[in-house]
Amino acid sequence: MLQVKSLTITQKKDLRTLIKDFDLTLNRGDKAVIIGEEGNGKSTLLKWIYSPSLISDYADADGIRNTQGELIGYLPQELTDSDKNKTVYEFFSDIGAFNESYSEDLYRVAAEMGFSDALVYSDRKMNSLSGGERVKIQMAGILISSPDILLLDEPSNDIDIATLRRLEETINGFSGAVLFISHDETLIERTANRVILLEHLRHKSVARATVANVPFQTFIEDRKRTFENQEREALNERREEKKAMERFRRIEQAVESDLNSISRRDPSGGRLLKKKMKAVKSMERRYEREHGEMTELPETESAITVRFSRQKAMPSGKTVADFSFPQLEIPDKTVIARNIELTVKGPEKICIVGANGTGKTTLIRKIAKELLARTDISACYMSQNYEETLPYGSTPVEYLAPSGSKDDIQTARTFLGAMNYTAEEMFHPIKELSGGQKAKLFFLKISVCEADVLILDEPTRNLSPLSGPEVRRILKQFPGAVISVSHDRKYISEVCNKVYEMTKEGLKPADIAATV
């Protein structure tokens, strides 16, 4: 069992409260997902639960953590620099349970995560592997230790669809408690039986946590229904109050008028009106009391808003690109695929899927390089590695308003506000932002440029399950062509109209329904 009591976490830099008075008890069999917008403290919470020292350099925490001696397995969102420079074998060798485990245990865990046990003894550097391969190896290292509790920070990031299905089986079949963060709505829907929502209300000045003991889809439906009922009840009460106050004001004005005009020769009439005025004042106090007891309008973190307004529609018959690559190589000159053919026409929304390590990111980088150099189209590229295309030393405002003019800065701040950036975050260096905030920055840049082709490598990988539906909606409405790599099954089914699987022998058409 895992218990968290009265936890409050505050950022040291701007003294913003990320989590306030948070309580949680996890028992065996619980599969709890933490959701919320980017920057709301999800990863910070998971780190603190694993080891409070992990957040001590940037946040203060006050609360009680009780693990009752349970063994915890923790998957961080990013490998440490030290682990990145290890070989795969060195990484496993530093795990105590690895040296004590039997061969069949290694084979079982490797198979469960979908990679060959030969990789366990490889001298390949961890930082040379694809993102998905690194996640698989880290998960295998955790499972070898037979933990009682799993804390998983974005286990679904970068892994291929086949491994996502294995991850679902692993979470559902795990006998202990699982607490995880994920932006993959399909994974959440198929595994979580509890939902923890972290919100920041009133321009991120108030932290609120909601713990619901229901599956994700039930939580979303219940939340929507509750908010709609609460809003309807609150508005009805306010309409009735307005009518009552209008009647009261008419009575009050009539009594005041009579009181001012009554003859001094009729003191009994004056006394009667004064008693009437006393009754009116009593009625006013009652209305004020009832106003304080009215149903409050529901508070929730506002949804992100972004629109494509400057883009022109792409003619359906126009050939946007016709790629032909005899072979695809990674930096060490190893050939990973051959005979790659891809034609893109009009406003097609294309997604490339495939197993980890097959070269999807290598291919889309090559596609981006060619399209960005052309002058007959306007292309925008969103890399999986944000550092490739974002100026990490700049602020979001500087990135969106490079001219520095007052009008451009004001426009940039308006756009950033629509993406739930606080005033302080607008002027933080981009390198300090969360992955989701960086992703939103890309979408803002795309929305204000005049691109007619988008090249997107895992565009939704860091967006919350609350922001994801809005981003999918706007990408579906994008009037130009989209060429993307993704393992997000919601994105594939809702946005894309063509799917290709990356194989060693090139791109093969895939059925969308079978893929998701």
Side-chain angles (χ1 to χ4, degrees), residues 337-348:
R338 301 180 186 277
N339 305 318
I340 296 170
E341 307 282 341
L342 178 64
T343 300
V344 183
K345 290 191 175 183
E348 288 182 329

Side-chain angles (χ1 to χ4, degrees), residues 70-73 97 105 108-109 140-150 174:
E70 303 270 41
L71 180 62
I72 298 177
D105 293 330
R108 174 184 55 78
V109 171
I142 292 168
L143 294 174
I144 284 174
S145 302
S146 300
D148 304 298
I149 298 170
L150 291 179
F174 187 71

Side-chain angles (χ1 to χ4, degrees), residues 360-397:
K360 300 184 297 297
T361 291
T362 301
L363 173 60
I364 206 162
R365 279 181 181 147
K366 199 172 183 70
I367 289 172
K369 185 176 180 180
E370 289 201 11
L371 294 183
L372 290 170
R374 283 172 48 179
T375 57
D376 61 320
I377 60 172
S378 176
C380 273
Y381 171 46
M382 180 179 184
S383 170
Q384 184 183 133
N385 180 5
Y386 300 140
E387 197 169 0
E388 286 183 26
T389 47
L390 279 176
Y392 268 30
S394 299
T395 68
V397 168

Side-chain angles (χ1 to χ4, degrees), residues 37-82:
E37 291 303 322
E38 296 70 30
N40 280 8
K42 300 184 298 295
S43 293
T44 297
L45 172 60
L46 214 60
K47 287 177 183 177
W48 181 86
I49 291 173
Y50 180 64
S51 174
S53 63
L54 292 179
I55 70 167
S56 60
D57 61 334
Y58 69 90
D60 291 318
D62 182 30
I64 298 171
R65 166 183 169 273
N66 184 5
T67 61
Q68 298 189 351
E70 303 270 41
L71 180 62
I72 298 177
Y74 171 58
L75 175 75
Q77 193 173 134
E78 295 286 345
L79 278 173
T80 63
D81 290 338
S82 173

Side-chain angles (χ1 to χ4, degrees), residues 151-164:
L151 304 180
L152 309 177
D153 194 348
E154 296 292 357
S156 52
N157 265 6
D158 303 323
I159 59 177
D160 55 54
I161 292 173
T163 309
L164 278 169

Side-chain angles (χ1 to χ4, degrees), residues 480-516:
V482 176
I483 306 170
S484 60
V485 167
S486 182
H487 301 128
D488 183 339
R489 290 161 287 183
K490 293 280 188 183
Y491 168 81
I492 294 169
S493 63
E494 294 178 17
V495 176
C496 305
N497 48 37
K498 279 192 178 180
V499 177
Y500 294 93
E501 182 181 3
M502 185 75 175
T503 72
K504 291 181 179 180
E505 299 305 319
L507 294 172
K508 308 296 183 184
D511 180 68
I512 292 178
T515 300
V516 300

Side-chain angles (χ1 to χ4, degrees), residues 287-305:
Y287 282 145
E288 288 174 352
R289 203 164 49 245
E290 289 175 353
H291 178 80
E293 297 170 355
M294 287 173 60
T295 303
E296 293 183 1
L297 285 164
E299 280 192 293
T300 183
E301 194 161 15
S302 57
I304 64 170
T305 53

